Amino acid sequence: MRAGDPTGWFERLYTEAERGEADVPWDRGSPHGLLVEWATARELTGAGRRALVVGCGYGRDAEYLARLGFTTTAFDISPTAVRVARERHPDSPVDYRVADLLDPPAAWRRGFDLVLESMNVQALPPEVRVAAFGAVGEPVAPGGTLLVIAAGRDEAEAPPAAPPWPLTRTEIDSFAGDGLAPVDVEALRDASAVLRWRAEFHRPA
């Protein structure tokens, strides 16, 4: 970050993990539980619809959405993460791409019925995070949905010195904009009282 490259550490982490020198802390074998719970409650089906997964990592959430029937595109800023995702899922229908959230392909604008942002924006420093709030919603099509999953903290709680920086309710509300409106913002606490946000936004048709 001091070098002016606030997202470069993602590629470094994935490269070191491939060499066995580091662990990717969010590398789990199953999709995020808050995503699965949300989709199950709505009996979500993706037939005939497109989904975009922001910061897909190794593809656990993207593969889940593809199994629900979505035509799924998933991207990450780390070329190593994207390559490993393709290797892990050789027969996958997911279109894995290397892309930057802050400079996405123009063709993605308003192009997806569901956009999933799970635990990525919280890893960005404040000066980048502000731009990311708006960028996340840009691909949501008219009539589409943005689902945000993030670690949370109370407004009065000081942010940690290093990433990830859990998001406040004010920051979660910042995803609404440019036509996106909040549908449901859930403050969820686990057995250890750790706060998680699950927030749904909608763009009118």
Side-chain angles (χ1 to χ4, degrees):
M1 294 180 186
R2 286 192 299 269
D5 184 14
T7 58
W9 67 274
F10 286 106
E11 173 62 10
R12 179 177 176 179
L13 174 63
Y14 282 111
T15 300
E16 291 178 351
E18 194 173 28
R19 295 197 299 257
E21 299 170 358
D23 292 318
V24 177
W26 50 85
D27 179 22
R28 299 186 178 94
S30 57
H32 199 291
L34 293 184
L35 168 62
V36 174
E37 183 181 86
W38 179 83
T40 301
R42 287 156 180 77
E43 299 182 346
L44 188 66
T45 176
R49 299 200 289 166
R50 299 182 68 202
L52 179 70
V53 178
V54 177
C56 64
Y58 294 142
R60 57 175 185 157
D61 294 335
E63 294 297 320
Y64 174 72
L65 291 178
R67 289 195 297 272
L68 292 181
F70 286 94
T71 299
T72 304
T73 300
F75 75 93
D76 203 285
I77 199 168
S78 165
T80 299
V82 170
R83 177 174 54 77
V84 174
R86 291 169 177 160
E87 291 171 354
R88 287 191 179 187
H89 311 287
D91 300 318
S92 173
V94 176
D95 180 12
Y96 287 104
R97 304 274 195 96
V98 177
D100 184 347
L101 169 63
L102 301 180
D103 187 24
W108 288 0
R109 187 175 188 273
R110 305 290 194 269
F112 296 89
D113 303 287
L114 174 64
V115 175
L116 173 65
E117 150 53 21
S118 179
M119 316 292 279
N120 292 288
V121 172
Q122 66 188 43
L124 302 175
E127 62 273 17
V128 179
R129 203 179 313 146
V130 171
F133 290 132
V136 165
E138 275 290 303
V140 179
T145 296
L146 166 64
L147 181 66
V148 175
I149 296 171
R153 63 182 171 90
D154 296 325
E155 297 285 350
E157 183 182 348
W165 294 283
L167 304 182
T168 65
R169 173 58 191 264
T170 298
E171 289 175 311
I172 289 294
D173 289 343
S174 296
F175 285 102
D178 194 24
L180 284 175
V183 175
D184 191 17
V185 179
E186 299 174 272
L188 307 169
R189 293 189 184 271
D190 61 19
S192 302
V194 175
L195 177 62
R196 293 286 185 272
W197 298 110
R198 181 171 58 196
E200 180 181 345
F201 301 87
H202 180 74
R203 187 184 303 284

